Amino acid sequence: MALTLTCPICGKRNGYEFRYGGEDKGSRPDEKGLSPADWCDYVHMNTCTAGVQKEWWFHRDGCGAWFSTYRNTLSNLEVDRPEDST
Amino acid sequence: MKRLRQFPTLHIDTNETRSLKYRGKSLQGFAGDTVATALYANGIRIFSRSLKYHRPRGLYNLDGESSNTCMEVDGVPNVRTENTLLKDGMVVKAQNVKGSVDHDLMAFIDKLDWLMPAGFYYKTMHKPAAVWPVAMKAIRKAAGVGTISADYKVKGRYDEIFLTADVCVIGGGAAGMMAALTAAESGVRVIVLESRPHLGGCWDYRTGAYKENKPLFARARELAGQVENTSNIRVFKQTSMVGAYNNNLITAFQVGKSNDAFTERYVEIRSKSVVVATGCIERPLIFENNERPGVMQVACAHRLARSYGLLPGEAAVFSIGHDLGLEAALDLFDLGLKIRCVADIREDGHDAGLLAALAERKIPVLKGWVAAKAHGCKQVTKVTLATLDGTVKRHIPCDLLVASAGHTPVNGPLILAQTNIAYDNHSGFFLPKKLPEKMFSAGWMTGRSHPQAIEASGQVAGLKALAAIGVTDKTAVFAAEKEAAALPGIDRGCKLVTAPVKGRKSFICFDEDTTIKNIKQAIDMGFDVPELIKRFTSAGTGPGQGGIPGHNLPLFVSKYTASASKPMPTAVRPPLVPTLLATYAGAHHHMFKRTPLHASQKKGGGIFRNIGVWQRARYFSSDFDCKDEILNVRNNVGLLDSSTLGKFRIFGPDALKALQRLYVSDMSKLKQGRIKYSAMCNDDGCVIDDGIVIKRGDNDYYVTTSSGRAGNTVEWFRYHTRYDGWQYHMVNLTDAMGVINISGPNARKVLKKIADADISNNAFPFAGYREFTVKNTIPVRAMRLGFVGELSFELHVPSSYMQSVWDMLMAAGAEFNIKNFGLEAQNVLRMEKGHIILGQESEQRTNLLDLGLGFLWDRKKTAAKTVGAVALRQAENDPGRFKLVGIRMQDDARAPRDGALIVDTHVRGYVATARKSFTTGEAVGMALVESQLSKPGSRLEIYEDECNEIRLQARVVPMPFYDPDGQRMKM
Ligand SMILES: [Zn+2]
């Protein structure tokens, strides 16, 4: 409940307003030649990072934007984009 | 009892009386009294009976640190009466009492304590296992903390408030007020939380000197005046902080005054920086019968007199370990209390001025002495004092024993914010090792008690809070710190925990009746860590939240185990003080949406149900089988309000791409002005929504969703296209457009009378879409759909015109005797046609193929990466899936209930919807069954709650049950 998130449109807001959208796993893989296992990994498997991860959030009680941001899962605080991430 | 009057420190208004009912009598108090002080003024000394031993308990503290004064007030049990302001007409009852609180029939249990050593519950009553259920009942009856009746309804208004601040100060004592004033000077927004009804902390009632000719209470009032008059400081009184979380999120509960719009409210504050200045509470002195009524803490006795005008007794003995005890003795003596003697644990280190003043009044001070035992059955009559080694004893008669070993900082707020605290040998306090980011502490809790040092620490903390948020720079902080450093520092504290006693009736925790003997037993059994001893003996787990044993337990454990390591504190968790669940629950927000036709549906006899976010007319008569409504649609014409359907405009250069991603069908084949029914799946191929898509222009679509999904549709579309950067807009028209469904063989005859267009079967055939006007004014989007299986028009009308169109249709249909129909009738009508409703014929695991809707899926559009397509391909050959089938009951008189199980030796499926069909005279329905059972003719056994072990018989039959060729909807 202490979480705040920075919506690219509305700015820093209370975490209550957002819905979590999962880890940032990259865009949908091509359907052609996709094995069931790979597909399942993409949809259901998570890295569950203990530390800073990039993830999706939806501003449900606000502008309705999906955006990605960085959060430290250990402190449950939004953090600046880490230096080594691309 | 006569009140002392006309002090500047009084918080009661003796001109305003308040009455309360207690034990059948009407008693009188004053405005500003707490429930407990009013009772005390009326001679009440025993407030409750203890949890285990039914010992009498009295007023000991005034801040709710123990359950001693927990009573039932206006039907609410466990109210801490000592810090609950008295309201006129309150009805107060003692709790955990058999008989009366003065003559408790269970009091004999006090003599049976030897039967109940530490961990008694854990070690007994489980062998044999059959003992427990019997014992449990007896124990729960004997040991209790009030009862609540099952049908009790909480009265009052519970609210919540969410605030932001630059600096939040917790604690409105001198240090907190200085911090607030210092921070506020820079213009930032400051919030002060104070748990008492007034600012001032312990200075509020103290007569000690702040400066020459200025007592502390005068200074406290001066500061309070400044704080209240500073426009950028917002003060919350009667507000107890209960939680602290990262990001400096502070939660608290505020008790409303009589003129507030709330009874209690939840307060949540996001503050950029926080100053904790919660001061100290007294550390209880432990001796035999240390909780006998008549024994109370120093501040309790002092405040009774100074704040409430009540002399706490007639003749007192003091057993204390700090100068505040001397100061209180002096002041209470001057107010008229006889003081037999003051036993001070300390051999030296007393304030010379206080000693001189006591000597002047001939009050004997025994240095190195301590109370060892309180005598008297229900109230103190005599005290045994002893030297610290217990070798010399003295007995002194008295009716009041003011006892306090020392002080302990109120560290809870810091600990909740993840501060590590450590024992400090000099002060005897647990002090923070390192404070969290942007959190600072000030005042007495830091170990200082000198008035100027307290104020200076508040100033420093205020400046640090500002520096932390970049409002001031470090130089201001350094300068203030330098000035503060010149003032008296951290006091030496008294470390004594217990008088020289064995401890059989020496209570370390009042709430749980835990004695020193119990703690020793636990340690002797091998428990060595305070945290575990706390669990095993329950010390500190009662309503007082560890206020009484919190400090003494670690000190005692360390001493008794002769441990070389420092005392270890026990954990603190939110809520820091007991809180009503009603306050957590907050206000009831009965929010729902109404359709534009709500009023006329109501007038038409609609019986409404809350369905999702909507209120919808489910029935139009008390016949919940809806026979008339159904037959009227089948044979004549009916009107349904379908406004809750989700409605969206999706447009923009990439709109088609978005549809291709989300819908299973190939939307590129949809031609302008045409309708397509389709479905959306999730990534597992499970159906999440169905509806129609209308192409109104290039990359301009109008789509409908089911009522329940409308709120999630934009999120869903945007989520599944979040990596693509596509340009398309979605406009939610759900509330902007209403929907009227006119159905039945006479539907066209009615609509024809008001539509400005040719709606004949040739001009507007089944599955067609038309846009036309009504009365040359009202734009209507019309579609011919067959959900209920009759000739049917679905009219999408701007919400503001809905009532007009409805009224026109009603008028036009009068000659045919047109009637409303509701949701339940629609449910049966569509079921007879085998049309599904998602959520009813499907659940989370049901995929598109299970429902027999595989024909909607276009498997060639792989480039669109359609959501669910990969999973559907995998599920195609999976034999282990459920299938949706039609069922007919053997007994047409009885349809099973929705959700009934289909079983043989185990569960094989379940009934989705089943009804007695008035149209066909059969009991039919739809069910999800294992694929082996899905062939027509398969026999099914249905289990229901009320089937009396006799299973209902059914068999699988083809769908639809009504008009299989679909002639009627194409009329
Ligand atoms: Zn936003």
Side-chain angles (χ1 to χ4, degrees):
Chain A
M1 66 191 266
L3 182 69
T4 52
L5 289 163
T6 311
C7 170
I9 295 168
C10 311
K12 186 173 165 181
R13 307 296 284 249
N14 215 318
Y16 297 141
E17 296 180 11
F18 299 87
R19 191 192 328 262
Y20 181 57
E23 296 173 0
D24 184 359
K25 300 178 187 175
S27 58
R28 300 173 76 77
D30 275 329
E31 261 182 65
K32 281 234 167 80
L34 190 65
S35 76
D38 287 348
W39 173 248
C40 206
D41 280 358
Y42 175 76
V43 175
H44 294 296
M45 299 306 279
N46 293 297
T47 56
C48 299
T49 305
V52 176
Q53 73 171 17
K54 193 181 182 197
E55 56 194 25
W56 285 99
W57 286 88
F58 176 65
H59 198 182
R60 184 187 52 197
D61 298 342
C63 63
W66 276 103
F67 60 95
S68 57
T69 187
Y70 295 89
R71 182 177 60 104
N72 186 337
T73 60
L74 296 173
S75 63
N76 196 28
L77 293 179
E78 189 180 36
V79 294
D80 292 335
R81 177 194 182 125
E83 300 272 318
D84 53 11
S85 82
T86 46
Chain B
M1 251 175 110
K2 230 185 96 205
R3 302 262 190 157
L4 307 164
R5 289 169 199 241
Q6 273 133 17
F7 297 157
T9 54
L10 282 185
H11 284 296
I12 49 162
D13 180 355
T14 49
N15 296 318
E16 257 195 75
T17 58
R18 298 271 184 277
S19 72
L20 76 157
K21 267 221 164 66
Y22 178 63
R23 298 185 65 186
K25 280 189 207 141
S26 185
L27 307 178
Q28 208 110 107
F30 296 115
D33 260 326
T34 69
V35 177
T37 60
L39 288 171
Y40 203 87
N42 284 280
I44 307 299
R45 292 295 176 268
I46 303 175
F47 286 75
S48 68
R49 290 280 170 165
S50 70
L51 180 79
K52 252 157 72 182
Y53 303 136
H54 286 252
R55 289 167 66 91
R57 292 281 161 84
L59 193 57
Y60 183 80
N61 166 280
L62 280 171
D63 286 314
E65 304 293 348
S66 76
S67 62
N68 279 18
T69 57
C70 276
M71 301 173 94
E72 186 182 307
V73 176
D74 292 338
V76 181
N78 302 324
V79 174
R80 297 177 304 157
T81 58
E82 64 196 46
N83 52 0
T84 300
L85 283 180
L86 177 64
K87 286 180 192 151
D88 211 30
M90 274 179 166
V91 179
V92 181
K93 282 182 189 158
Q95 52 189 37
N96 195 28
V97 165
K98 246 199 165 115
S100 80
V101 73
D102 289 341
H103 302 279
D104 186 351
L105 301 174
M106 299 293 279
F108 68 91
I109 292 182
D110 191 23
K111 303 245 161 38
L112 303 180
D113 62 321
W114 54 276
L115 277 171
M116 297 178 251
F120 153 75
Y121 299 105
Y122 303 131
K123 298 201 296 188
T124 54
M125 310 233 176
H126 60 87
K127 270 183 192 165
V131 168
W132 178 240
V134 182
M136 182 179 70
K137 271 189 192 159
I139 290 171
R140 292 216 171 135
K141 231 177 185 172
V145 279
T147 49
I148 190 156
S149 74
D151 50 6
Y152 178 76
K153 282 237 160 57
V154 178
K155 292 173 201 81
R157 270 184 64 122
Y158 296 84
D159 212 340
E160 59 249 325
I161 180 169
F162 296 82
L163 303 153
T164 57
D166 295 303
V167 179
C168 177
V169 179
I170 300 163
M177 291 194 286
M178 278 307 284
L181 288 167
T182 307
E185 237 167 74
S186 69
V188 302
R189 288 182 307 162
V190 179
I191 286 177
V192 177
L193 304 181
E194 168 55 50
S195 58
R196 289 182 186 156
H198 46 80
L199 294 171
C202 70
W203 290 13
D204 175 70
Y205 55 88
R206 281 177 60 191
T207 45
Y210 169 71
K211 274 179 183 160
E212 223 176 311
N213 296 326
K214 187 186 260 185
L216 289 168
F217 70 78
R219 174 62 176 167
R221 276 157 183 71
E222 190 175 84
L223 286 174
Q226 286 175 31
V227 168
E228 306 254 25
N229 289 319
T230 304
S231 60
N232 53 332
I233 301 179
R234 191 165 172 188
V235 181
F236 287 83
K237 291 179 226 170
Q238 290 200 81
T239 305
S240 299
M241 185 265 208
V242 293
Y245 305 85
N246 55 15
N247 252 353
N248 276 337
L249 182 79
I250 304 294
T251 59
F253 291 97
Q254 182 177 24
V255 177
K257 298 190 296 288
S258 50
N259 58 343
D260 277 323
F262 56 90
T263 312
E264 279 194 24
R265 70 176 169 187
Y266 171 70
V267 181
E268 188 177 306
I269 302 162
R270 272 189 194 283
S271 187
K272 288 182 187 158
S273 61
V274 173
V275 174
V276 179
T278 37
C280 286
I281 54 172
E282 278 169 71
R283 189 162 61 76
L285 181 64
I286 302 175
F287 52 92
E288 287 292 279
N289 302 326
N290 57 326
E291 31 63 273
R292 188 64 79 213
V295 180
M296 64 175 67
Q297 293 187 319
V298 171
C300 180
H302 207 176
R303 283 171 68 194
L304 272 181
R306 279 282 161 190
S307 302
Y308 303 100
L310 290 164
L311 264 194
E314 280 182 22
V317 169
F318 276 61
S319 176
I320 46 91
H322 48 84
D323 282 342
L324 252 67
L326 302 181
E327 183 186 304
L330 196 62
D331 190 33
L332 287 168
F333 179 86
D334 290 349
L335 292 173
L337 182 69
K338 290 188 198 85
I339 296 185
R340 302 285 186 220
C341 80
V342 176
D344 195 324
I345 299 160
R346 301 170 296 171
E347 307 272 3
D348 53 39
H350 306 77
D351 182 289
L354 289 171
L355 282 184
L358 287 163
E360 208 174 282
R361 290 162 178 81
K362 301 197 170 52
I363 301 171
V365 176
L366 301 170
K367 294 178 189 170
W369 282 70
V370 66
K373 184 170 184 175
H375 302 266
C377 291
K378 287 176 186 162
Q379 217 184 320
V380 174
T381 54
K382 190 172 75 174
V383 174
T384 301
L385 294 178
T387 50
L388 295 184
D389 58 8
T391 50
V392 188
K393 284 186 177 154
R394 233 189 244 188
H395 307 285
I396 303 175
C398 64
D399 67 340
L400 176 69
L401 172 56
V402 179
S404 172
H407 290 101
T408 181
V410 181
N411 276 328
L414 294 175
I415 298 170
L416 290 183
Q418 310 294 316
T419 311
N420 281 323
I421 55 170
Y423 187 73
D424 173 58
N425 280 322
H426 175 68
S427 58
F429 281 13
F430 288 105
L431 294 176
K433 282 198 264 191
K434 184 174 171 283
L435 288 163
E437 247 184 281
K438 297 179 186 174
M439 181 173 270
F440 310 94
S441 67
W444 199 6
M445 68 185 307
T446 65
R448 293 161 182 83
S449 67
H450 187 272
Q452 271 74 38
I454 294 254
E455 290 195 359
S457 78
Q459 219 161 0
V460 170
L463 288 169
K464 279 183 175 170
L466 289 178
I469 58 174
V471 175
T472 182
D473 60 14
K474 286 267 163 68
T475 53
V477 178
F478 292 145
E481 271 181 324
K482 207 172 155 196
E483 256 176 64
L487 294 162
I490 297 177
D491 299 341
R492 190 183 64 173
C494 165
K495 319 282 183 346
L496 183 103
V497 185
T498 67
V501 291
K502 289 221 171 64
R504 183 176 157 191
K505 296 288 180 193
S506 300
F507 288 85
I508 192 165
C509 175
F510 301 172
D511 296 1
E512 301 290 326
D513 268 348
T514 315
T515 62
I516 284 296
K517 193 180 156 196
N518 295 147
I519 305 294
K520 287 179 181 172
Q521 284 167 337
I523 294 171
D524 294 344
M525 275 181 239
F527 290 97
D528 52 354
V529 182
E531 197 68 58
L532 297 177
I533 295 167
K534 171 179 164 182
R535 294 293 178 293
F536 191 62
T537 63
S538 349
T541 61
Q545 311 277 81
I548 298 292
H551 195 176
N552 274 334
L553 181 66
L555 291 189
F556 181 77
V557 171
S558 167
K559 205 178 128 200
Y560 186 71
T561 56
S563 161
S565 54
K566 286 179 171 182
M568 285 193 293
T570 54
V572 175
R573 293 181 187 84
L576 281 182
V577 297
T579 306
L580 287 179
L581 282 176
T583 315
Y584 269 114
H588 290 291
H589 300 294
H590 286 296
M591 290 198 291
F592 48 81
K593 299 211 294 189
R594 289 174 168 180
T595 73
L597 296 175
H598 188 89
S600 68
Q601 294 269 292
K602 190 133 224 172
K603 223 196 275 166
I607 297 169
F608 287 79
R609 294 285 183 266
N610 290 337
I611 296 169
V613 296
W614 293 95
Q615 274 208 329
R616 304 188 65 180
R618 183 150 178 201
Y619 314 99
F620 277 91
S621 78
S622 54
D623 168 24
F624 289 176
D625 291 331
C626 306
K627 186 177 179 181
D628 291 346
E629 290 172 51
I630 291 165
L631 294 179
N632 183 55
V633 174
R634 288 275 177 255
N635 302 322
N636 181 24
V637 57
L639 275 181
L640 173 76
D641 177 12
S642 296
S643 300
T644 63
L645 270 179
K647 298 168 282 290
F648 295 86
R649 183 185 176 199
I650 301 174
F651 67 108
D654 297 317
L656 178 59
K657 285 186 193 158
L659 296 183
Q660 292 286 64
R661 169 68 52 82
L662 274 305
Y663 283 97
V664 294
S665 313
D666 185 354
M667 291 301 172
S668 67
K669 291 181 186 156
L670 180 59
K671 294 197 180 68
Q672 177 119 3
R674 302 295 281 271
I675 301 185
K676 183 153 185 61
Y677 169 76
S678 189
M680 289 189 257
C681 293
N682 65 15
D683 275 322
D684 296 325
C686 301
V687 191
I688 59 127
D689 201 6
D690 66 342
I692 53 129
V693 178
I694 295 161
K695 184 173 179 180
R696 297 185 71 233
D698 272 346
N699 277 311
D700 190 352
Y701 296 87
Y702 181 65
V703 309
T704 67
T705 72
S706 49
S707 303
R709 277 296 294 185
N712 297 325
T713 298
V714 172
E715 177 183 346
W716 187 253
F717 268 73
R718 294 276 176 213
Y719 178 77
H720 287 288
T721 57
R722 69 198 186 284
Y723 286 104
D724 300 284
W726 289 340
Q727 299 293 309
Y728 67 96
H729 294 286
M730 294 186 75
V731 185
N732 188 340
L733 297 170
T734 304
D735 298 335
M737 304 278 284
V739 177
I740 298 168
N741 188 295
I742 177 167
S743 294
N746 289 325
R748 185 178 289 114
K749 290 181 203 156
V750 177
L751 182 59
K752 198 167 80 177
K753 288 164 79 174
I754 67 159
D756 305 332
D758 179 4
I759 59 163
S760 66
N761 207 16
N762 282 335
F764 188 3
F766 178 70
Y769 173 75
R770 295 290 181 274
E771 294 185 8
F772 53 78
T773 56
V774 166
K775 301 267 181 200
N776 283 321
T777 308
I778 305 172
V780 171
R781 298 176 183 183
M783 45 208 88
R784 277 194 61 190
L785 304 171
F787 195 49
V788 300
E790 299 296 338
L791 168 63
S792 175
F793 298 88
E794 191 169 293
L795 309 174
H796 292 226
V797 179
S799 289
S800 52
Y801 284 121
M802 276 289 283
Q803 190 64 54
S804 310
V805 174
W806 183 268
D807 291 344
M808 282 184 239
L809 286 169
M810 274 296 190
E815 61 173 298
F816 304 99
N817 202 11
I818 194 169
K819 277 193 190 118
N820 283 309
F821 67 105
L823 264 194
E824 174 57 21
Q826 183 200 34
N827 186 33
V828 179
L829 289 161
R830 63 91 203 174
M831 185 275 293
E832 290 171 346
K833 278 296 289 178
H835 290 153
I836 60 154
I837 292 181
L838 290 175
Q840 196 150 337
E841 271 63 45
S842 70
E843 38 104 2
Q844 273 186 318
R845 297 168 300 176
T846 312
N847 74 22
L848 192 74
L849 310 172
D850 301 347
L851 291 175
L853 294 176
F855 66 92
L856 294 175
W857 171 35
D858 187 302
R859 56 192 73 206
K860 288 191 289 280
K861 51 168 192 147
T862 49
K865 300 184 188 174
T866 304
V867 181
V870 178
L872 286 175
R873 206 160 275 141
Q874 289 172 36
E876 257 181 316
N877 301 312
D878 182 352
R881 300 204 59 91
F882 277 10
K883 292 279 167 233
L884 186 72
V885 295
I887 58 167
R888 180 172 174 194
M889 304 305 294
Q890 197 172 57
D891 176 5
D892 278 326
R894 179 162 179 189
R897 280 195 313 200
D898 299 351
L901 296 177
I902 291 163
V903 296
D904 46 26
T905 54
H906 59 285
V907 176
R908 306 290 299 271
Y910 60 90
V911 175
T913 311
R915 296 284 187 277
K916 186 172 160 45
S917 163
F918 298 109
T919 316
T920 66
E922 300 164 351
V924 289
M926 287 184 268
L928 276 162
V929 297
E930 287 180 11
S931 56
Q932 297 94 312
L933 295 178
S934 63
K935 284 193 196 69
S938 298
R939 303 201 74 82
L940 304 175
E941 291 185 36
I942 298 167
Y943 175 88
E944 256 194 337
D945 284 350
E946 291 103 22
C947 69
N948 293 327
E949 303 302 317
I950 301 163
R951 292 170 184 174
L952 308 181
Q953 301 295 319
R955 62 193 159 80
V956 175
V957 294
M959 284 194 289
F961 311 109
Y962 173 72
D963 185 25
D965 303 329
Q967 292 306 312
R968 300 198 46 100
M969 54 195 187
K970 293 176 188 156
M971 287 199 309

